[in-house]
Amino acid sequence: MKVTVIGAGNGGMTAAYVLARNGHQVCIYDSPKFPAQVNAVQEKGGITALEEDNGAPMLMPGYAEIALATTDAQKAMEFADTFLMICPSFAQEIMFSAMLPYVKDGMKVFVIPGNYGGLVLNKMLQHSDKRGTDITFIDTISLPWATRAVAPGVISIMGVKEFMPMSVFPKANCTEDMVKDIKNIFPIPVEILDNPVVAALENINFGAHPLFTIMNMGLLENFAGGFNFYRDCCSPAIAKVEDELDRERITVGESLHLHLRTELEAMNALYASDCASIYEFNRGSSAHSKIKNAPANSQSRYITEDIPYLFVPFCELAKVCGVEVPAAEALVTMANIFNDTDYCVSGRTLAKMGFNHWSKQEILEFLAQ
């Protein structure tokens, strides 16, 4: 099949490589403002995955030819009807703005990770001159891989999830044929979730990323992030807070009549492990312990992306549900102070999803359409 990958960062480069390796014809696109990876793929004709990185063995090494690498949005859109948008959440609307002039009925847009992105992009679509175009938005809970781009045109794949939960919106588009197409395209097995809110609430970055970064900020800044993030930044006391965040998340989900996995259930399932606690998983996960990859300061995406695009909407949903979430709110407050920013204003609010002043029942009815 023909697939266009939107975004040439860590995840986008890896998606393009794996899709091409699986036999698909792949275009990779990025903004003209960030041409380095696209230019490298053009020059080399494809993407290389390393066999070893920092002395550790990597997964799926080799080389894959990429059919088209471009910074021309029109060429990228005309290449395929299926798109994997893999970029930071703050760039999702920017990327979709470039795509909008060329959208047409029947297109599928994977938003990886979703972070409510399908809802935001749908609102953009319905407020544009392309209103009414039949586009399916597919939100995943996270990236399929633990990966990084180590040089222009070169990646390292450290781990891969066993399967990927994702939602299909509008729900009316979640037909047997649509699910079959998704399974044929996506590079690992899929699980279909009920709606984009479930996909966001099941994002496994919720428990660890902001918490570990904020709680370890002194050491991270003073030692330039010279730690393994999951192993070294988790302690028994910090894991207790992580468990409390998980309880808050599950409680909000129950209020919305959603069945959510616990973080431990999700981690064990996604990485085929059998850990007895989230502390044990963080300390021992082989997929996450191969390199020293902790953030060096408060401008890490673990704060600048996960707080505004995961925690802010979560806290707003909690208010709609009448559920108190003091641990989540404390992390938002600390992040605001760290970065002199009010993420409650700049972040992904319910209003930006189209839910301004909606009741819980109104939100649930909209998601069921």
Side-chain angles (χ1 to χ4, degrees), residues 32 65 72 203 312 323 350:
E65 183 176 334
D72 185 318
N203 187 328
V312 166
V323 175
L350 295 184

Side-chain angles (χ1 to χ4, degrees), residues 6-71:
I6 305 292
N10 297 342
M13 290 286 287
T14 304
Y17 170 79
V18 174
L19 287 167
R21 194 171 182 260
N22 289 349
H24 299 294
Q25 295 182 59
V26 178
C27 165
I28 187 165
Y29 164 85
D30 211 341
S31 165
K33 295 180 180 179
F34 305 101
Q37 291 288 7
V38 167
N39 290 345
V41 176
Q42 282 181 336
E43 180 181 341
K44 299 175 181 180
I47 298 170
T48 298
L50 296 180
E51 185 173 353
E52 182 181 285
D53 190 1
N54 285 323
M58 297 292 113
L59 303 180
M60 293 183 280
Y63 171 85
E65 183 176 334
I66 302 301
L68 176 64
T70 183
T71 57

Side-chain angles (χ1 to χ4, degrees), residues 297-314:
N297 54 57
S298 64
Q299 292 301 314
S300 160
R301 64 182 178 86
Y302 292 170
I303 292 181
T304 61
E305 180 172 10
D306 292 340
I307 289 292
Y309 294 95
L310 273 181
F311 275 69
V312 166
F314 171 74

Side-chain angles (χ1 to χ4, degrees), residues 50-289:
L50 296 180
E51 185 173 353
E52 182 181 285
D53 190 1
N54 285 323
M58 297 292 113
L59 303 180
M60 293 183 280
Y63 171 85
E65 183 176 334
I66 302 301
L68 176 64
T70 183
T71 57
D72 185 318
Q74 183 173 357
K75 290 181 179 178
M77 293 297 291
E78 291 176 349
F79 184 86
D81 291 327
T82 299
F83 304 87
L84 271 63
M85 179 187 289
I86 309 181
C87 60
S89 295
F90 69 79
Q92 290 170 352
E93 291 148 280
I94 297 170
M95 291 295 200
F96 196 62
S97 293
M99 298 166 67
L100 260 176
Y102 314 106
V103 299
K104 58 185 180 181
D105 287 340
M107 287 184 166
K108 295 180 284 293
V109 179
F110 290 78
V111 190
I112 308 173
N115 294 349
Y116 309 93
L119 296 171
V120 174
L121 302 187
N122 179 67
K123 182 185 176 184
M124 289 179 63
L125 175 67
Q126 302 310 327
H127 286 78
S128 75
D129 59 5
K130 295 287 187 173
R131 177 184 176 88
T133 305
D134 182 18
I135 297 178
T136 301
F137 296 98
I138 303 158
D139 286 23
T140 73
I141 68 164
S142 65
L143 285 175
W145 314 277
T147 185
R148 66 174 186 148
V150 297
V154 182
I155 60 171
S156 289
I157 303 174
M158 296 168 281
V160 60
K161 295 177 177 65
E162 294 290 308
F163 64 100
M164 180 52 57
M166 58 187 68
S167 64
V168 177
F169 182 83
K171 193 170 184 178
N173 288 1
C174 191
T175 63
E176 288 185 13
D177 286 342
M178 176 63 70
V179 173
K180 183 178 179 181
D181 284 347
I182 290 171
K183 290 179 177 179
N184 286 338
I185 295 163
F186 208 75
I188 63 175
V190 306
E191 175 188 82
I192 302 299
L193 301 174
D194 197 50
N195 60 59
V197 172
V198 180
L201 290 175
E202 291 238 322
N203 187 328
I204 55 175
N205 295 339
F206 184 91
H209 281 186
L211 173 65
F212 290 7
T213 306
I214 288 170
M215 298 294 283
N216 290 280
M217 187 55 66
L219 288 173
L220 297 180
E221 286 185 325
N222 288 332
F223 293 92
F227 302 92
N228 177 273
F229 183 69
Y230 294 90
R231 184 189 63 231
D232 297 337
C233 294
C234 185
S235 71
I238 290 175
K240 287 178 65 177
V241 182
E242 190 172 3
D243 287 337
E244 180 60 27
L245 283 170
D246 203 39
R247 281 190 286 272
E248 292 180 355
R249 183 182 62 86
I250 295 295
T251 302
V252 171
E254 289 173 347
S255 179
L256 291 167
H257 313 299
L258 306 175
H259 174 71
L260 305 177
R261 293 181 180 90
T262 67
E263 184 182 9
L264 180 60
E265 288 171 343
M267 290 299 198
N268 278 336
L270 291 169
Y271 289 100
S273 60
D274 188 28
C275 295
S277 68
I278 201 65
Y279 172 77
E280 181 184 328
F281 179 88
N282 286 325
R283 294 285 294 175
S285 171
S286 59
H288 298 90
S289 62

